[in-house]
Amino acid sequence: TYGQNVEVEYGTARGVDDAETDAVETLGKIAPLDIGPAPSWRNLRVPLDQIPVEANSIRLVVSDYDSKPDQWVAVTPPRVPKTQKLNDVVGSQAPVMLDWAVGLAFPCQRPFDHRVGIAEVPEYRILPDHSGALVTSAWQDHYGGGPLGWIDLLLTAQTIPSYLDNDWARDWGSIEKYTPIDPSAVPAQVDETTVQRSGTWNPGSMTMVF
C-alpha cells in the first residue's frame, strides 16, 4: 500500500475572489503530517507556523499516477480548526467511556456510572492510539462481553478531530462523540425495594450433586 501523493501549495493572491490561475504567486509547498493508519480516512495536519505569514491562499495538489481501480485518493476541503481544550469540550461531569488503556491519563473526565445493575449511557468515548484501540475495542466489544456490546446498539459515534498540544505529529489517541440512534428514547424507570436480612439468612437449601 504505497499510497498517492498529497501536498499543500501556498501562495499570495491579488484577490480572494480571483479564480484565474495566473493571479496567484506560488511561494512553496509542504507535505502534511500523516499519523496514519494507511490506508484509511484520516486527518492530515499542516502546522500554520510552517506557512509564511504573507501567504493568503492555499490549494491541495494531489498526484495519482496509478490507473488501477483499487488505487485511488480522495480529499476533503482544507480547514483551519478553532481548537479547544478537552476539559472545555467534555468537562468533568459528562459521562465518558474511557478505554481501560487511557483511564489513568484522564483523571478530570468522569467514567460512566453503574447503579443498581444499570449502566449510564455515555456521551463520549476516549480511545488510545490506533494500535492500542484495536486491543481495547476487542476486549470491550460484544464478543468480549464489554460495554461496546450495548453501546453500539444505542449510539452512533463520530470522531472529533483532536491534537496533542505542540505535538501535531503524534497519534495520542482519539475522542468520539456519541449520538443516540433513537433521539426519542428515554431511560427506563427503575423500581427499587430495600429489604433487610440478617447475616444468617438463607434463601434456600443448596443441593450438592456428585
Side-chain angles (χ1 to χ4, degrees):
T1 52
Y2 49 87
Q4 312 301 334
N5 191 47
V6 177
E7 294 178 309
V8 174
E9 194 174 80
Y10 53 85
T12 56
R14 289 201 300 261
V16 294
D17 296 329
D18 197 336
E20 297 180 7
T21 57
D22 59 351
V24 178
E25 178 186 359
T26 301
L27 299 178
K29 58 185 177 180
I30 184 174
L33 301 174
D34 183 4
I35 65 171
S40 70
W41 291 103
R42 53 198 186 275
N43 186 7
L44 305 181
R45 300 103 186 269
V46 176
L48 292 181
D49 59 6
Q50 297 185 18
I51 298 179
V53 294
E54 61 269 20
N56 61 8
S57 63
I58 66 168
R59 67 179 177 182
L60 299 180
V61 180
V62 181
S63 303
D64 185 0
Y65 300 107
D66 198 321
S67 60
K68 297 178 182 177
D70 60 348
Q71 288 293 329
W72 53 274
V73 59
V75 295
T76 59
R79 57 186 174 80
V80 179
K82 181 180 179 181
T83 58
Q84 295 177 279
K85 293 182 179 180
L86 177 66
N87 284 349
D88 295 334
V89 176
V90 178
S92 58
Q93 299 302 317
V96 179
M97 165 69 181
L98 285 167
D99 283 22
W100 57 266
V102 300
L104 297 179
F106 297 92
C108 296
Q109 276 56 64
R110 180 176 73 84
F112 70 95
D113 201 2
H114 291 79
R115 184 174 180 273
V116 294
I118 299 176
E120 182 181 18
V121 178
E123 298 178 13
Y124 297 91
R125 179 188 177 191
I126 300 180
L127 302 83
D129 59 10
H130 176 69
S131 58
L134 294 176
V135 177
T136 57
S137 295
W139 276 78
Q140 299 168 158
D141 64 8
H142 60 284
Y143 291 109
L148 292 180
W150 56 266
I151 287 177
D152 290 345
L153 298 177
L154 301 176
L155 310 168
T156 58
Q158 180 181 11
T159 301
I160 301 175
S162 55
Y163 316 90
L164 193 63
D165 193 17
N166 297 320
D167 197 354
W168 312 106
R170 181 183 297 274
D171 178 11
W172 72 268
S174 59
I175 177 173
E176 295 177 345
K177 180 176 176 58
Y178 283 133
T179 303
I181 296 176
D182 182 2
S184 64
V186 296
Q189 297 298 317
V190 181
D191 295 328
E192 297 182 53
T193 302
T194 301
V195 179
Q196 292 185 352
R197 305 290 189 186
S198 70
T200 59
W201 178 76
N202 186 353
S205 60
M206 180 180 293
T207 301
M208 305 296 291
V209 179
F210 297 94

